[in-house]
Amino acid sequence: MKPFKFNYLRPTSVEETLQYLEEYGEEAKILSGGQSLIPVLNMRLSTPKYLIDIGKVEGLNYIREEDGYIAIGALTRHVDVEKSQIIREKCPLLSEAIHWVGHAQIRNRGTIGGSIAHADPSAELPCVITALRGEIVIASTSGEEIVSPEEFFLTYLLTSLQPDQMVKEVRFPVLNPSSGSAFVEVARRHGDFGIVEVAAVVDLDEKGEISFARIAVGGASPVPCAVEPAEEFLIGKSPTDEVLKEASDMAAESVEPDGDMHASADYRRELTGVMTLRALKLAVDRSKECTRI
Ligand SMILES: Cc1cc2nc3c(=O)[nH]c(=O)nc-3n(C[C@H](O)[C@H](O)[C@H](O)COP(=O)(O)OP(=O)(O)OC[C@H]3O[C@@H](n4cnc5c(N)ncnc54)[C@H](O)[C@@H]3O)c2cc1C
């Protein structure tokens, strides 16, 4: 099928984009890398009257470290994140996760802002930003605001973005060099959206006890889910198999999976426990390597 007729707008600055959004926001869609939106338009699941193509907007393609964050401009492509040395060093969790996003062709076109705004609960970047308690910078003609992933992701493919707003920047906290992180996923084939994925970060103190923990699960709830009770439970404990298993069981209890053609709800819950354990063990091993415990 072909998309419904639309008016094509091609701004070259953030200001121009925001003006268009103010004027046409209710009837418009932003087009970024097009990897999710174009199929949706072709299937006529969305029929916007205006398409605002931000591909030529200047100043939104960057990766930089500032104030303890890796700040990534909304138009930065997955491939640039994949190749970034600074992300590999400062936020290895993101580096590991990005390889799971689709195939090379998709990572060449798809953008960070698009992935976050599309809010697929099985997508890797929403899971990582939720685990790390990152920030999303949203802009409109009234100014900018910073929202947490918890405020931003509302449910399947729905965010708190208003019609006159765009995602301008996404911020991932820099990880402590002594921490270990792991991103694990089960998908039918590499490149498919994950059935369940888990992002975990663990830091160990000089006694070898857990001093910091982050866990998020994607694909098993309507939004990526930070498992705070398990994170709190881990603090101050030695990372024994029993302790990590108990935290993984807590993760499995905390998700709200739905069944679909790829997996039943029960399977997704079971997988959440298995994958959380796998991610935690890997993160602990990597932290031990960093701290040489
Ligand atoms: C075969 C295939 C497999 C894929 N597999 C995966 C996968 O495994 N994991 C994964 O995460 N993704 C996957 N994707 C999706 C891909 O990662 C997309 O790139 C991503 O979801 C959206 O980024 P985009 O730049 O292409 O956004 P677009 O498709 O251009 O836009 C997506 C949505 O976000 C909105 N939007 C875009 N940019 C902004 C912005 N700056 N501010 C506000 N709204 C904005 C658009 O209006 C639209 O609603 C796959 C896609 C395909 C086609």
Side-chain angles (χ1 to χ4, degrees), residues 29-39 54 74 78 100-103 106 109-111 113-115 117-118 123-125 161 165-167 191-194:
K29 274 274 177 202
I30 288 182
L31 173 67
S32 191
Q35 299 304 292
S36 296
L37 185 59
I38 295 294
I54 60 172
H78 299 312
W100 286 94
V101 176
H103 311 277
I106 288 148
R109 298 292 311 164
T111 64
S115 266
H118 190 57
E124 288 78 9
L125 296 188
L161 270 181
Q165 294 180 321
M166 71 181 290
V167 173
D192 284 1
F193 276 98

Side-chain angles (χ1 to χ4, degrees), residues 89 92 175-181 202-204 282-293:
E89 283 168 15
L175 290 174
N176 191 334
S178 63
S179 66
S181 63
V202 172
D203 208 349
L204 301 174
L282 204 48
V284 166
D285 287 348
R286 288 173 177 174
S287 178
K288 281 180 180 168
E289 273 168 33
C290 293
T291 46
R292 298 191 197 286
I293 287 172

Side-chain angles (χ1 to χ4, degrees), residues 228-246:
E228 283 177 34
E231 295 170 352
E232 285 165 18
F233 164 79
L234 287 170
I235 300 300
K237 299 208 168 58
S238 292
T240 60
D241 285 355
E242 294 72 33
V243 163
L244 300 184
K245 173 76 169 64
E246 199 164 336

Side-chain angles (χ1 to χ4, degrees), residues 52-292:
I52 306 173
D53 181 350
I54 60 172
K56 293 273 182 208
V57 169
E58 286 182 10
L60 288 183
N61 185 352
Y62 56 85
I63 297 171
R64 53 187 177 231
E65 186 182 354
E66 48 193 32
D67 303 328
Y69 284 96
I70 301 291
I72 306 182
L75 265 183
T76 309
R77 298 191 190 277
H78 299 312
V79 65
D80 298 318
V81 170
E82 197 176 353
K83 290 184 176 164
S84 163
Q85 187 59 27
I86 187 170
I87 292 180
R88 219 168 288 151
E89 283 168 15
K90 303 291 174 94
C91 194
L93 180 67
L94 177 56
S95 245
E96 189 171 19
I98 205 85
H99 293 285
W100 286 94
V101 176
H103 311 277
Q105 293 86 338
I106 288 148
R107 297 195 293 274
N108 284 341
R109 298 292 311 164
T111 64
I112 302 307
S115 266
I116 294 292
H118 190 57
D120 191 311
S122 295
E124 288 78 9
L125 296 188
C127 182
V128 171
I129 199 169
T130 299
L132 297 181
R133 317 296 198 269
E135 293 179 345
I136 298 152
V137 182
I138 286 172
S140 72
T141 51
S142 322
E144 288 185 10
E145 60 179 290
I146 295 171
V147 298
S148 67
E150 198 186 353
E151 294 165 314
F152 186 76
F153 298 118
L154 299 182
T155 186
Y156 294 99
L157 309 182
L158 188 70
T159 70
S160 63
L161 270 181
Q162 297 301 305
D164 64 340
Q165 294 180 321
M166 71 181 290
V167 173
K168 194 174 165 209
E169 182 179 285
V170 185
R171 296 175 179 167
F172 296 85
V174 169
L175 290 174
N176 191 334
S178 63
S179 66
S181 63
F183 188 90
V184 296
E185 175 169 321
V186 167
R188 279 180 173 264
R189 296 166 303 186
H190 190 96
D192 284 1
F193 276 98
I195 293 174
V196 167
E197 69 241 357
V198 178
V201 184
V202 172
D203 208 349
L204 301 174
D205 62 19
E206 63 286 349
K207 288 185 284 177
E209 289 171 357
I210 298 172
S211 56
F212 178 88
R214 290 281 185 259
I215 305 168
V217 182
S221 299
V223 293
C225 162
V227 193
E228 283 177 34
E231 295 170 352
E232 285 165 18
F233 164 79
L234 287 170
I235 300 300
K237 299 208 168 58
S238 292
T240 60
D241 285 355
E242 294 72 33
V243 163
L244 300 184
K245 173 76 169 64
E246 199 164 336
S248 308
D249 290 345
M250 289 165 111
E253 277 163 32
S254 72
V255 293
E256 299 166 21
D258 283 323
D260 60 20
M261 61 184 284
H262 301 295
S264 68
D266 285 347
Y267 181 68
R268 283 198 154 93
R269 189 181 296 285
E270 176 73 21
L271 206 50
T272 298
V274 172
M275 300 303 281
T276 304
L277 185 57
R278 204 174 287 177
L280 283 172
K281 282 187 171 173
L282 204 48
V284 166
D285 287 348
R286 288 173 177 174
S287 178
K288 281 180 180 168
E289 273 168 33
C290 293
T291 46
R292 298 191 197 286

